[in-house]
Amino acid sequence: MFCIFIAASAMGQTLTTTVQKAFSVNGTTKDQHSFKEGDAVTVFAYKKKGSRYYFMVETKDYANHFNMTYIPFATDEKALKKLPNALSNEMEEALKQKQQDIVKRKKIQRKQNALNGSIRAVVSNLYAFYSEDDAIGKVNSGDTIYVVGFSKKPSDSYYHFALYSDKAAGIFKTIRLSAFKNDIDLDYLPSIGDADVKTFIDQKKKELKQIQDEKAAQFRKDVLKGNIKGKLYLADLKTEDYKKSPFAYGDTVSIVGHTEKYYTHYYALFSTKGAGVFQTTSSIEMTFKDAGKIQFAKLPPVNDPEVQQVLNKQQIIADSLKAVQDSLLIEDFKKTANDLIEIYKKKSPVIVTVDSWSSDSAGGIEVELSVTNCSTQTIKYISFQGYFNNAVGDRCYNEIGGGSVWKARGVGPIGPRPTTTDDFSEKFDECRASYDFDNLTFYSRTADTFHLSSVTIQYTNGKTVTLSGSNLQNHVVYK
């Protein structure tokens, strides 16, 4: 059964039918097209000349003429003869107009698709994008971007794209089309100068700017509330008049401002110990142990009025706390001192505290230990041995060097413990030491628990004491 529909148009009758037998039209890349059985087509011109049938057809996205030795459509020649002459100049002009109309429709559709975010690409590792004019943000390797416009001038070596992502929006340029990991069809993308493209990109920039402003405002709030914290890697911070800061190595402080000037870093810091602006010529990485996690570039400058208000307020709080602590210390000093002296006597010769241990991505293990000398002799060296167990309780072996024993050595001097309340204040700090063994010698990516197996103490008088087994465990605290 034939499936046809004959309709009249301004240029004559047309015939809507379906493909009865699949075929392909060959020619230039532009002219190539394949028809599948059942495809709907409109034949708008026909002519038989000799043994060949000449057709002009169109579909939603294709229009062209071709000739064949048979009729591939679900119709007959009687119906086709009612159509205009496919070999006439008039129909050639009509075909050109249809092709132009299809190109226009494709451009409109492609433009709409682009503005709807359907032209997506991933940025290659090889080539960079550079922003133009007032573009917002950066386009980095691996980013997913959406392209809404494209232009390339013959005299210009750059390809220009109107694009956006969750981090950037605007006009960006690149030297090569291989800046994308995936292929994108640029044929029907609108120009970067298209009015709709400009309006769309301007709106994306506004949205991105609003998001960035909101994030910046929230970040500033977090900063001024003291939520941005860092752990001090060194203790050589000084005030602007070169007085020593109240902070010590390992202290966690709130960072509310940062300024770099003439190779000197200035930090606005506070904790319960104090507040103020402190300076150092050491790098950020040498000042804060977790520097990579802190967005120093986004911090307000140290002379920001709100930063100064926070520091003034926090210094008042710190002074108040210190006053309270001082009064409590004076009141309870003798009791506290006597209690600790008794504890030190019972725990002689030493208390070892395993503060923490951690491993890096390669499995290298860093161990932090604290030592309290509970003897009345000065410690010259203190050596540690230990081991790691995995999650099922089996020993871990060093992946670099072999063996299952972790070793480290701490250098003193570690002073003797206080023996009376009179020398307590002086000797309280002198009899304690902290060690961060970060010169990695033990590597294990399965380590789950750490255990000390022996501690050897060498005193300045030459005497050596080794603790191990259950005797050691009475002197070890695992945090």
Side-chain angles (χ1 to χ4, degrees):
M1 173 185 281
F2 291 154
C3 179
I4 62 174
F5 177 77
I6 298 177
S9 69
M11 64 184 76
Q13 290 184 325
T14 62
L15 184 150
T16 301
T17 181
T18 57
V19 175
Q20 194 171 36
K21 183 178 180 182
F23 67 95
S24 296
V25 178
N26 297 317
T28 65
T29 302
K30 180 180 177 182
D31 296 333
Q32 292 174 357
H33 192 78
S34 295
F35 292 90
K36 299 189 295 294
E37 183 178 344
D39 283 353
V41 297
T42 297
V43 184
F44 59 89
Y46 163 80
K47 179 68 177 178
K48 181 178 181 184
K49 185 176 180 181
S51 61
R52 301 198 72 82
Y53 300 91
Y54 293 81
F55 304 95
M56 287 186 177
V57 302
E58 67 174 323
T59 64
K60 182 180 178 181
D61 57 0
Y62 178 79
N64 216 331
H65 57 159
F66 55 88
N67 63 84
M68 304 182 72
T69 58
Y70 66 95
I71 299 173
F73 306 113
T75 185
D76 56 18
E77 190 173 2
K78 181 179 179 182
L80 290 167
K81 284 182 177 180
K82 297 178 182 180
L83 301 177
N85 183 357
L87 298 179
S88 67
N89 291 335
E90 179 185 6
M91 296 313 295
E92 281 292 341
E93 290 300 319
L95 174 62
K96 290 179 182 178
Q97 184 60 50
K98 287 180 178 291
Q99 289 175 334
Q100 291 173 2
D101 291 342
I102 288 173
V103 170
K104 288 180 182 178
R105 288 202 304 271
K106 283 186 175 181
K107 284 185 176 180
I108 292 172
Q109 185 59 53
R110 186 70 172 180
K111 177 178 175 179
Q112 191 59 46
N113 289 344
L115 297 178
N116 287 338
S118 66
I119 313 302
R120 187 174 71 171
V122 178
V123 179
S124 168
N125 293 320
L126 300 178
Y127 303 105
F129 277 90
Y130 303 94
S131 63
E132 295 187 0
D133 301 329
D134 58 348
I136 293 178
K138 294 182 179 180
V139 177
N140 299 313
S141 172
D143 286 353
T144 296
I145 61 173
Y146 299 87
V147 183
V148 296
F150 166 75
S151 292
K152 173 72 166 71
K153 296 178 182 178
S155 59
D156 189 355
S157 59
Y158 283 98
Y159 297 89
H160 303 263
F161 292 90
L163 58 85
Y164 70 94
S165 70
D166 59 347
K167 297 182 291 187
I171 308 300
F172 292 80
K173 62 183 180 181
T174 182
I175 200 71
R176 297 177 187 267
L177 286 178
S178 49
F180 302 117
K181 288 184 179 179
N182 55 303
D183 294 330
I184 60 174
D185 185 1
L186 303 174
D187 289 347
Y188 296 106
L189 272 174
S191 164
I192 60 173
D194 182 283
D196 291 334
V197 171
K198 284 185 174 181
T199 300
F200 182 86
I201 288 296
D202 285 345
Q203 181 59 35
K204 286 294 180 182
K205 288 195 291 188
K206 287 180 182 178
E207 293 172 2
L208 190 60
K209 183 66 166 58
Q210 182 178 352
I211 292 172
Q212 289 178 344
D213 289 346
E214 290 173 355
K215 287 183 177 179
Q218 184 57 53
F219 180 75
R220 183 178 176 87
K221 286 182 181 179
D222 288 340
V223 169
L224 297 176
K225 286 181 179 179
N227 294 336
I228 309 303
K229 299 180 184 295
K231 188 175 183 180
L232 287 172
Y233 203 72
L234 49 74
D236 70 342
L237 293 172
K238 301 288 189 295
T239 62
E240 291 184 275
D241 55 358
Y242 297 100
K243 292 180 180 178
K244 188 177 180 181
S245 81
F247 313 120
Y249 170 86
D251 280 358
T252 297
V253 295
S254 292
I255 309 169
V256 291
H258 171 245
T259 300
E260 183 181 5
K261 189 176 181 180
Y262 303 126
Y263 306 104
T264 299
H265 290 276
Y266 298 87
Y267 302 98
L269 309 175
F270 75 82
S271 76
T272 56
K273 291 183 176 181
V277 175
F278 305 93
Q279 60 179 297
T280 178
T281 55
S282 297
S283 67
I284 293 174
E285 291 74 19
M286 289 298 295
T287 304
F288 293 94
K289 193 169 186 179
D290 44 6
K293 301 177 183 178
I294 304 168
Q295 302 177 68
F296 284 94
K298 294 183 179 181
L299 290 170
V302 296
N303 60 355
D304 183 293
E306 288 189 294
V307 170
Q308 291 298 317
Q309 289 177 13
V310 169
L311 294 180
N312 292 337
K313 179 181 178 181
Q314 291 299 326
Q315 185 59 55
I316 293 172
I317 294 173
D319 290 342
S320 299
L321 287 173
K322 188 174 185 303
V324 173
Q325 290 168 348
D326 287 348
S327 64
L328 291 175
L329 283 173
I330 293 171
E331 182 180 341
D332 296 334
F333 176 77
K334 288 188 177 181
K335 183 179 184 307
T336 301
N338 286 323
D339 288 347
L340 281 174
I341 288 170
E342 289 303 313
I343 291 173
Y344 290 164
K345 285 181 180 179
K346 293 177 182 178
K347 290 293 184 178
S348 183
V350 74
I351 298 173
V352 178
T353 302
V354 181
D355 294 310
S356 67
W357 68 271
S358 61
S359 61
D360 60 23
S361 59
I365 295 177
E366 175 183 350
V367 179
E368 294 185 10
L369 300 172
S370 299
V371 175
T372 300
N373 183 3
C374 297
S375 72
T376 56
Q377 302 295 321
T378 299
I379 295 175
K380 184 177 183 181
Y381 298 107
I382 182 164
S383 300
F384 308 93
Q385 288 192 22
Y387 60 91
F388 297 89
N389 283 348
N390 60 24
V392 295
D394 292 334
R395 286 285 183 95
C396 296
Y397 286 86
N398 193 348
E399 296 173 7
I400 299 178
S404 62
V405 179
W406 171 88
K407 295 180 180 180
R409 188 189 196 201
V411 179
I414 308 174
R417 65 171 173 83
T419 57
T420 66
T421 55
D422 292 334
D423 67 3
F424 186 86
S425 296
E426 180 182 348
K427 292 186 177 181
F428 180 70
D429 288 328
E430 294 179 0
C431 73
R432 297 183 299 173
S434 296
Y435 298 100
D436 184 356
F437 296 111
D438 56 1
N439 53 332
L440 308 182
T441 58
F442 197 98
Y443 288 79
S444 174
R445 280 168 284 197
T446 60
D448 185 66
T449 57
F450 173 64
H451 308 269
L452 278 176
S453 55
S454 72
V455 174
T456 299
I457 306 161
Q458 181 181 345
Y459 297 99
T460 53
N461 63 5
K463 182 181 177 181
T464 299
V465 175
T466 297
L467 301 174
S468 61
S470 59
N471 188 28
L472 171 64
Q473 301 314 312
N474 293 329
H475 299 272
V476 177
V477 177
Y478 291 93
K479 283 191 176 180

